[in-house]
Amino acid sequence: MKSAILSVGTELLFGQIVNTNAVYLSQQLNLLGIDVMYHYTVGDNPRRLSELLDHIYQDCDLIIATGGLGPTQDDLTKETVAEAFDDRLVLHQPSMDALEKRFAGRKIPMTENNRKQAWLPSKAEVLPNQCGTAPGFALEKDGRIIICLPGPPKEMKDMFQKAVKPYLEARSESVIYYKMLRAFGIGESALETALLDLIDGQTDPTIATYAKEGECSVRVASKRATREEAKAAVEEMTEKVKERVGKYIYSCDNEELCQVVARKLMEKGVSVASAESCTGGLFAGALTDIPGISAVFDRGLVTYSNRAKVEELGVRPETLERFGAVSRETAGEMAEGLARISGCQVCVAVTGVAGPDGGTPEKPVGLAYVAVHYKGKTQCRETTFRNQDRTWNRRHCVLLMLDTINKVLEEE
Amino acid sequence: MKSAILSVGTELLFGQIVNTNAVYLSQQLNLLGIDVMYHYTVGDNPRRLSELLDHIYQDCDLIIATGGLGPTQDDLTKETVAEAFDDRLVLHQPSMDALEKRFAGRKIPMTENNRKQAWLPSKAEVLPNQCGTAPGFALEKDGRIIICLPGPPKEMKDMFQKAVKPYLEARSESVIYYKMLRAFGIGESALETALLDLIDGQTDPTIATYAKEGECSVRVASKRATREEAKAAVEEMTEKVKERVGKYIYSCDNEELCQVVARKLMEKGVSVASAESCTGGLFAGALTDIPGISAVFDRGLVTYSNRAKVEELGVRPETLERFGAVSRETAGEMAEGLARISGCQVCVAVTGVAGPDGGTPEKPVGLAYVAVHYKGKTQCRETTFRNQDRTWNRRHCVLLMLDTINKVLEEE
């Protein structure tokens, strides 16, 4: 099946919002084994939309459209699509009932234009909206399918998972199963090299590597007649991948490193504190983004100045003098000082040169040290990947801190 | 002039990257007064690309294309575009010289496929690439223009500003001048209401409001025969807007609030420290993202637990007991404690309920207090906008902290 993603909305053409719907739908369709040939964005203009539909179906059998289903005057997708499929809009009573119930429950009057949302093409399969007001629908004619979804990402994703995915799976002869393995500490080219014979030698499962801001992923996917067959093939291949690069892989379920570490800390009830220099609070910020983390995260100190390192963490002025603020020794004393004052079980510290200024031949931009104090021992690691970019370096340091905690928790 | 943005790259169709180029170009073209009618994304496939060009020119006179100019085999944009414009690729010696110089400077051998980048349509105006290897170009025939830019955002933006903008301005009879005013502490609908008669009554300058993650912007734009005329019209209208909502406006030059505050602190040489609870380090993380901030930012304390608030900041246990961790009193003691221990001039503190859990009828999710201690006085503010979303609430608190610092620095 060949598909195109059609986004309707003038705000996209003004550059007011980023088209994350197209990204999500592309990923999901590819995972279902459906090729995505085009993305199109068009304003709320019936003539242009209608011409575009004709053009797209020259190449594709499936269009997934988002946006333009709402209650306002400029929402015209439904009318235009119905016309292109020789259909007309009729009142869909279950949708009207759902709308009335929703407004009654919220005790707000339903304005007349909201009723428009319950008018849908007569031959459509209606997709209920469990997160908002506008229902979606699927329409099929002469081997051409269009699926219209609401524009707000939350509503669109919910409808895709609950209604569109089963609809498309039912129309496919095969089933796709995949795993997304996530790795830290290895570059994409090294990862690809380590897996090259597996990548080249395989048609199913397929193996693909991806790079994203200092992390890598490996996608292992299989398309078979049944889900069980596909799953078995993926799991067998996943084991082979893990034999080669297992020590870099921190999740086989596409979890973020921060989520993995937070989950382990919360499950084990291990208390944690941080002392940051170059990352300036980003580690604490990332960890405290996880709901429930307050059960284990006690405090974070951003000791940006040397004075703060001495006063807050008890780093010795001699250490700063002799080895410098960016040194293995300072990182170690930061972690140990933090353990003394906080009493937390895992104490992590970082000090580095984020850039763009402040680098020297001995201590270049991107150099950083991460120390972890756990169970009476302090371990220290140095960055191996370095960059001139301040934002990249800071982000990379946060990942290195998380990875180091992950490793000491695993070692037990 | 009517335009379309054409993005070439299979990675977009796989959903591997977000199309931020289309957002940037849409904004820039709209600012130049050029309507954007469509966004298209297509893979590296010459036939589909060629058909799409025909289709687009039915409606548009200008295409801005990005991607597909690189050295690899699948980079085919140039060939296809040249053919569609009845042109052919020829060696462009200045581009070849620039390539050779670039590789020689980096002491890496230039592979054969890199030479491909110096072959460009014979009738094109070549746009040099100052940030990368692939040059861009503009081609014009029978009233149709295509401008091809490299895909990497940094290279594309640099080329747009240095070469494309002047190219398009030279083809326009009028000049657009605009100012983007940024506001905090007022919602978009209140902002629009305050400016409604100005918005409705004007055809030039035009006034438009935008909302973005808890902040608002007002764009004042004018299209006149000369830059001076347009500028004068915009400045006159900007004054009218400031008379109405000036107290919410923190920048008339589209600066981020964090940049504005960091610049003021650095210019005045005012030292700063932070104590964060619900934001968990995001304030310190945002401020330390600004290069050079180490001259004034001394330390940040993330006192997530009550124990940390007492031990690190000297908050009194009775205060926590009587008023709770999320209270005006606790925020004030956090800021005052921080001032005692750090000796910094500006000490900012925040405590709040980020959510999704932890809310009560008295202290709902989204409630937060920000305190600032400056010149012996402590001021405290409460959030007025509240949300159920943890990420939104945390981000909003950071903005409220920055806004509060901005206001005390202005009051002097």
Side-chain angles (χ1 to χ4, degrees):
Chain A
M1 208 185 274
K2 287 183 176 174
S3 72
I5 295 166
L6 175 60
S7 312
V8 183
T10 310
E11 65 278 23
L12 289 161
L13 298 176
F14 279 118
Q16 287 167 10
I17 55 170
V18 181
N19 195 346
T20 55
N21 281 352
V23 174
Y24 177 83
L25 290 170
S26 297
Q27 290 170 348
Q28 294 293 320
L29 291 171
N30 276 291
L31 290 174
L32 289 169
I34 297 171
D35 291 326
V36 178
M37 313 302 284
Y38 302 100
H39 294 173
Y40 296 91
T41 304
V42 64
D44 298 294
N45 177 305
R47 181 187 60 81
R48 273 184 226 116
L49 183 54
S50 159
E51 284 174 8
L52 204 49
L53 291 180
D54 284 343
H55 179 76
I56 299 174
Y57 282 122
Q58 291 173 17
D59 250 352
C60 301
D61 355 272
L62 168 68
I63 297 176
I64 310 262
T66 61
L69 302 182
T72 57
Q73 291 236 327
D74 59 2
D75 289 321
L76 296 161
T77 305
K78 276 189 299 193
E79 287 79 351
T80 311
V81 167
E83 206 176 294
F85 277 73
D86 297 323
D87 198 357
R88 67 201 170 86
L89 300 189
V90 295
L91 174 67
H92 184 249
Q93 196 57 48
S95 293
M96 184 63 88
D97 295 345
L99 269 173
E100 281 171 351
K101 202 175 149 195
R102 188 181 171 89
F103 277 91
R106 305 202 158 191
K107 299 195 176 74
I108 34 177
M110 186 162 95
T111 53
E112 193 52 38
N113 55 7
N114 270 295
R115 296 180 185 276
K116 198 184 133 199
Q117 298 175 96
W119 286 73
L120 294 155
S122 71
K123 294 166 194 153
E125 178 173 336
V126 176
L127 314 175
N129 188 337
Q130 293 176 17
C131 303
T133 53
F137 65 90
L139 199 52
E140 198 169 349
K141 196 191 169 206
D142 306 332
R144 293 173 170 188
I145 304 176
I146 192 160
I147 299 177
C148 292
L149 304 174
K154 200 174 160 188
E155 299 174 31
M156 184 278 291
K157 288 180 188 175
D158 186 73
M159 202 177 284
F160 188 90
Q161 290 301 327
K162 289 184 184 148
V164 180
K165 213 170 146 184
Y167 179 96
L168 294 173
E169 279 172 346
R171 271 155 188 80
S172 167
E173 315 87 70
S174 52
V175 176
I176 296 251
Y177 183 89
Y178 75 98
K179 267 188 182 298
M180 192 72 92
L181 316 181
R182 297 184 63 149
F184 176 78
I186 183 169
E188 194 192 6
S189 55
L191 185 64
E192 198 184 36
T193 306
L195 303 176
L196 205 57
D197 58 317
L198 296 180
I199 294 171
D200 285 348
Q202 289 290 332
T203 49
D204 186 301
T206 56
I207 301 163
T209 60
Y210 303 92
K212 179 200 144 195
E213 297 179 348
E215 290 181 83
C216 288
S217 307
V218 183
R219 180 184 159 220
V220 182
S222 174
K223 193 177 192 171
R224 301 284 169 102
T226 69
R227 188 173 189 278
E228 288 64 39
E229 270 180 64
K231 192 177 176 206
V234 166
E235 285 181 351
E236 194 189 323
M237 181 55 77
T238 297
E239 285 311 308
K240 285 187 190 165
V241 171
K242 281 163 82 175
E243 278 166 27
R244 309 272 180 99
V245 291
K247 68 172 177 168
Y248 301 107
I249 291 172
Y250 62 79
S251 170
C252 293
D253 296 308
N254 203 21
E255 272 186 299
E256 300 278 345
L257 183 51
C258 190
Q259 288 175 314
V260 172
V261 170
R263 183 170 41 72
K264 286 186 186 174
L265 289 167
M266 291 192 277
E267 276 171 11
K268 292 171 188 256
V270 171
S271 60
V272 59
S274 56
E276 305 177 62
S277 189
C278 58
T279 54
L282 292 182
F283 172 85
L287 203 61
T288 57
D289 203 31
I290 313 284
I293 197 71
S294 59
V296 293
F297 182 71
D298 175 59
R299 73 190 75 181
L301 304 180
V302 183
T303 51
Y304 219 57
S305 67
N306 278 355
R307 188 164 70 85
K309 291 183 185 71
V310 173
E311 288 178 8
E312 296 288 342
L313 296 166
V315 172
R316 291 178 301 165
E318 310 88 80
T319 305
L320 291 168
E321 178 78 21
R322 187 166 163 205
F323 301 103
V326 178
S327 65
R328 194 173 286 274
E329 291 74 13
T330 297
E333 288 192 17
M334 286 169 75
E336 287 164 10
L338 183 62
R340 273 196 311 277
I341 58 160
S342 72
C344 285
Q345 290 166 279
V346 168
C347 286
V348 63
V350 64
T351 176
V353 188
D357 307 316
T360 64
E362 295 76 37
K363 300 197 175 171
V365 168
L367 175 70
Y369 296 94
V370 167
V372 167
H373 183 84
Y374 184 56
K375 296 200 167 165
K377 274 187 293 192
T378 305
Q379 293 183 24
C380 190
R381 285 166 77 187
E382 187 182 317
T383 47
T384 45
F385 299 107
R386 285 166 206 165
N387 203 304
Q388 287 306 302
D389 186 72
R390 182 176 178 89
T391 305
W392 195 96
N393 282 329
R394 280 157 49 94
R395 194 184 133 76
H396 184 69
C397 281
V398 170
L399 291 172
L400 188 60
M401 292 166 84
L402 291 166
D403 187 62
T404 307
I405 297 174
N406 195 32
K407 289 217 161 52
V408 300
L409 291 176
E410 269 171 16
E411 275 166 14
E412 303 188 273
Chain B
M1 208 183 277
K2 288 184 177 177
S3 72
I5 295 167
L6 174 61
S7 310
V8 183
T10 309
E11 66 279 21
L12 288 161
L13 298 176
F14 279 118
Q16 288 168 9
I17 55 170
V18 181
N19 195 348
T20 55
N21 282 353
V23 174
Y24 177 83
L25 290 169
S26 297
Q27 291 170 348
Q28 294 294 319
L29 291 171
N30 276 293
L31 290 175
L32 289 170
I34 297 172
D35 291 326
V36 178
M37 313 301 285
Y38 302 99
H39 294 172
Y40 297 92
T41 304
V42 64
D44 298 294
N45 177 305
R47 180 187 59 81
R48 271 185 229 118
L49 182 55
S50 160
E51 284 175 8
L52 204 49
L53 291 180
D54 284 343
H55 179 77
I56 299 173
Y57 282 121
Q58 290 172 20
D59 251 351
C60 301
D61 356 89
L62 168 67
I63 297 177
I64 310 262
T66 60
L69 302 181
T72 59
Q73 290 236 327
D74 59 2
D75 289 322
L76 296 161
T77 306
K78 275 189 303 195
E79 287 79 351
T80 312
V81 167
E83 208 176 291
F85 277 75
D86 296 324
D87 199 359
R88 65 199 171 83
L89 300 187
V90 296
L91 175 66
H92 183 250
Q93 197 56 47
S95 294
M96 184 64 89
D97 295 345
L99 271 173
E100 281 171 350
K101 202 175 151 196
R102 187 180 171 91
F103 278 91
R106 304 199 162 196
K107 298 196 175 76
I108 36 176
M110 185 162 95
T111 54
E112 193 53 36
N113 54 6
N114 269 295
R115 294 179 185 276
K116 199 184 132 198
Q117 298 175 100
W119 286 73
L120 293 154
S122 72
K123 294 166 195 154
E125 178 173 336
V126 175
L127 314 175
N129 188 335
Q130 293 176 16
C131 303
T133 54
F137 63 90
L139 200 50
E140 196 168 352
K141 195 190 170 209
D142 305 331
R144 296 174 168 186
I145 304 176
I146 190 161
I147 299 176
C148 292
L149 304 174
K154 198 174 160 187
E155 298 174 32
M156 184 277 292
K157 289 180 189 175
D158 186 73
M159 202 178 281
F160 188 91
Q161 290 300 330
K162 289 183 184 146
V164 180
K165 212 169 144 184
Y167 179 95
L168 293 173
E169 280 172 346
R171 269 155 191 78
S172 169
E173 316 88 67
S174 51
V175 176
I176 294 253
Y177 183 88
Y178 75 99
K179 267 192 182 294
M180 191 72 94
L181 317 182
R182 297 183 63 147
F184 177 79
I186 183 169
E188 194 193 5
S189 54
L191 185 62
E192 201 183 35
T193 306
L195 303 176
L196 205 57
D197 59 313
L198 296 180
I199 294 173
D200 284 348
Q202 288 289 332
T203 50
D204 186 302
T206 56
I207 301 163
T209 60
Y210 303 92
K212 179 200 143 195
E213 297 178 346
E215 290 180 82
C216 288
S217 306
V218 183
R219 181 186 157 220
V220 182
S222 173
K223 194 175 188 171
R224 301 283 170 105
T226 68
R227 190 174 187 278
E228 287 63 38
E229 269 179 65
K231 193 177 175 209
V234 165
E235 286 181 352
E236 193 190 327
M237 182 56 76
T238 298
E239 285 311 310
K240 286 188 190 165
V241 172
K242 281 165 84 175
E243 277 165 29
R244 311 272 179 101
V245 292
K247 69 173 177 168
Y248 302 108
I249 291 172
Y250 62 80
S251 170
C252 292
D253 296 308
N254 204 18
E255 270 187 299
E256 300 278 345
L257 182 53
C258 190
Q259 287 175 314
V260 172
V261 171
R263 183 170 43 71
K264 287 187 186 172
L265 289 168
M266 290 191 282
E267 276 171 10
K268 293 172 188 255
V270 170
S271 60
V272 58
S274 57
E276 304 177 63
S277 189
C278 58
T279 53
L282 292 182
F283 171 85
L287 202 61
T288 57
D289 204 32
I290 312 286
I293 196 72
S294 60
V296 292
F297 182 70
D298 175 59
R299 74 190 73 183
L301 304 181
V302 184
T303 51
Y304 218 56
S305 67
N306 278 354
R307 188 164 71 83
K309 291 182 185 71
V310 174
E311 290 179 8
E312 296 289 343
L313 296 167
V315 173
R316 291 178 302 162
E318 309 88 79
T319 305
L320 291 169
E321 178 79 22
R322 185 165 163 205
F323 302 102
V326 178
S327 65
R328 194 174 284 273
E329 291 76 11
T330 299
E333 287 192 17
M334 287 170 73
E336 286 163 11
L338 182 63
R340 276 195 308 278
I341 60 163
S342 72
C344 285
Q345 291 167 276
V346 168
C347 286
V348 63
V350 65
T351 177
V353 188
D357 307 317
T360 63
E362 293 77 39
K363 301 197 174 169
V365 168
L367 175 70
Y369 295 95
V370 166
V372 166
H373 183 86
Y374 183 56
K375 296 199 169 166
K377 274 187 290 190
T378 305
Q379 293 184 24
C380 190
R381 283 166 79 187
E382 187 183 317
T383 47
T384 43
F385 299 107
R386 287 165 204 166
N387 202 304
Q388 287 306 303
D389 186 72
R390 182 177 180 88
T391 305
W392 195 95
N393 282 330
R394 281 157 49 93
R395 194 183 133 74
H396 184 70
C397 281
V398 171
L399 291 172
L400 187 61
M401 292 167 84
L402 290 166
D403 186 62
T404 308
I405 296 175
N406 195 34
K407 289 215 160 53
V408 298
L409 291 176
E410 269 172 15
E411 274 166 16
E412 303 186 276

